[in-house]
Amino acid sequence: MEWVVVHKGNNPNLSEIVKSILEDNNIQVVLVNKMDSMHKHLMNGEIELHVNPENAIKAKYIIEKNKL
């Protein structure tokens, strides 16, 4: 199964908040951290939140509704 990216960003705290809100709405979320841990101060790379395709629309709606 191909997972869908519903959120990208370089703020680890915001990504965790979004992940938590989606999980509170019974959406399974996989966080993929593509930031280079050696150079976090450069902010190169992103953190992605992936969900099942069947939950993508609901997840995007929740993110939009919460202005995240």
Side-chain angles (χ1 to χ4, degrees):
M1 170 179 26
E2 191 87 18
W3 290 69
V4 177
V5 177
V6 294
H7 177 78
K8 287 184 183 182
N10 56 14
N11 182 333
N13 295 325
L14 178 59
S15 295
E16 286 293 338
I17 290 168
V18 174
K19 181 177 183 274
S20 178
I21 290 170
L22 294 177
E23 289 175 338
D24 286 347
N25 284 276
N26 299 316
I27 297 175
Q28 184 180 6
V29 183
V30 175
L31 188 145
V32 178
N33 189 343
K34 294 185 175 182
M35 296 178 78
D36 184 345
S37 62
M38 293 292 291
H39 303 287
K40 282 189 179 177
H41 64 283
L42 298 176
M43 301 306 268
N44 58 344
E46 291 182 308
I47 300 168
E48 298 178 348
L49 298 179
H50 297 243
V51 300
N52 286 326
E54 63 193 36
N55 292 324
I57 293 172
K58 182 179 176 184
K60 289 178 182 180
Y61 171 77
I62 291 167
I63 292 168
E64 178 92 14
K65 184 176 97 175
N66 288 284
K67 297 180 175 35
L68 300 169

